[in-house]
Amino acid sequence: GGRPAPPGGGAPPPAVASSPIRRAGAFDNAIPEYASYVDKAKRRGTPPKDLGVLKRTINEQSIDADPVTFSGLRGCDGKPNCFSTTGDSLLEDRILTGVDTLISPWRPPADDPAPFKTLASAVKEYKPGQSFIDGGGFAVVKETDSYLYVQFEALKKGYIDDVEFAMAGGREQGIQVRSSSRVGQTDFGVNAIRLNAIAASLRAKGWAIDEITPKTHQDYFYAADDARDQTFDKDRRKGTEMENGRMDRPAIG
């Protein structure tokens, strides 16, 4: 039957959407400390207009690699605040626009009958505030049987990062991944920390996923460390080697 009318008559209230409701400006799973920053100005930024699985072309400007067009996630723009499985094939081409932000697709084990469901569950089990990031929580914006889009929010200034996963081809091609900040130049290592945390939980289930490290993405981590060293926000250094020490810089003059 229909929903009962509220006391005092009148039409029943509209049905509540199934997606998480923003309470006092935060996602429902924000850590308790978020309450201290609810009234602060937020810099959520604007998501790119071409998120999702669309036609992408790589190697368009390459001299040594042929252009390839496929259905997939957006690439990165060269700033050290993003990782994507979409990017030019050759390192020499990728670094023409900035730092190298290409990562390999995440590969599920052959014995997982529903790998994308496994992935979605791992993402939803992510703990806001782990490693001192994503204290504003997260919410699933869109989910299908082959695509997942999640927004993660920073604790203090409300920065929103857009994170996507897609199975655009067969399982042998792996899961496409993109995690990116909307604003700023560097992300203080947040996107690497987040992806590594989710990847670790899947690796324990037999997935093959490369860890993002200073060896795999040296320039990204240098930019993150440089920003942590120079910021006035000491919380940005929590849990890092710079929490109790700073970078060695050459004396000038």
Side-chain angles (χ1 to χ4, degrees):
R3 300 176 68 196
V16 177
S18 59
S19 58
I21 300 168
R22 300 302 292 268
R23 183 180 63 240
F27 291 125
D28 271 4
N29 51 13
I31 65 174
E33 289 85 345
Y34 190 92
S36 301
Y37 303 100
V38 165
D39 297 329
K40 305 292 185 184
K42 305 298 181 187
R43 293 190 63 198
R44 294 192 168 94
T46 304
K49 290 180 168 46
D50 59 343
L51 293 180
V53 177
L54 300 172
K55 186 172 77 171
R56 314 286 180 182
T57 301
I58 60 173
N59 307 332
E60 289 184 281
Q61 307 299 323
S62 180
I63 296 174
D64 297 314
D66 294 330
V68 178
T69 299
F70 60 96
S71 293
L73 300 177
R74 191 180 198 274
C76 296
D77 299 327
K79 294 180 181 179
N81 64 6
C82 175
F83 289 101
S84 178
T85 49
T86 297
D88 286 346
S89 303
L90 303 177
L91 176 62
E92 63 197 59
D93 292 326
R94 298 197 296 273
I95 60 176
L96 289 176
T97 56
V99 304
D100 182 19
T101 54
L102 183 69
I103 57 175
S104 297
W106 292 9
R107 302 193 181 280
D111 60 356
D112 187 335
F116 206 80
K117 285 186 177 180
T118 302
L119 167 75
S121 295
V123 173
K124 293 171 186 176
E125 291 167 3
Y126 178 86
K127 304 298 184 190
Q130 64 89 25
S131 299
F132 307 103
I133 70 168
D134 298 327
F138 67 91
V140 174
V141 178
K142 183 177 181 180
E143 180 178 9
T144 71
D145 58 3
S146 61
Y147 176 75
L148 182 67
Y149 170 31
V150 188
Q151 293 177 354
F152 292 79
E153 182 172 339
L155 175 62
K156 292 183 177 181
K157 296 186 178 179
Y159 297 117
I160 296 287
D161 289 355
D162 299 300
V163 181
E164 300 172 281
F165 303 90
M167 183 179 276
R171 64 182 294 150
E172 67 278 358
Q173 296 180 33
I175 306 291
Q176 296 185 32
V177 180
R178 182 178 187 271
S179 181
S180 179
S181 303
R182 294 178 179 177
V183 299
Q185 180 70 19
T186 178
D187 64 356
F188 294 86
V190 167
N191 285 284
I193 294 169
R194 179 189 304 120
L195 289 182
N196 281 340
I198 298 170
S201 68
L202 288 169
R203 237 181 261 118
K205 296 178 170 66
W207 286 57
I209 305 173
D210 294 336
E211 186 177 9
I212 301 169
T213 72
K215 286 187 177 181
T216 64
H217 294 82
Q218 180 180 6
D219 292 339
Y220 167 87
F221 279 94
Y222 181 83
D225 285 344
D226 187 57
R228 289 186 187 117
D229 184 51
Q230 296 193 61
T231 182
F232 291 105
D233 184 357
K234 65 180 185 298
D235 287 344
R236 288 286 197 178
R237 292 188 278 273
K238 278 187 177 179
T240 73
E241 293 179 357
M242 271 174 285
E243 187 168 5
N244 299 308
R246 306 297 284 276
M247 292 179 72
D248 291 327
R249 295 180 183 271
I252 298 176

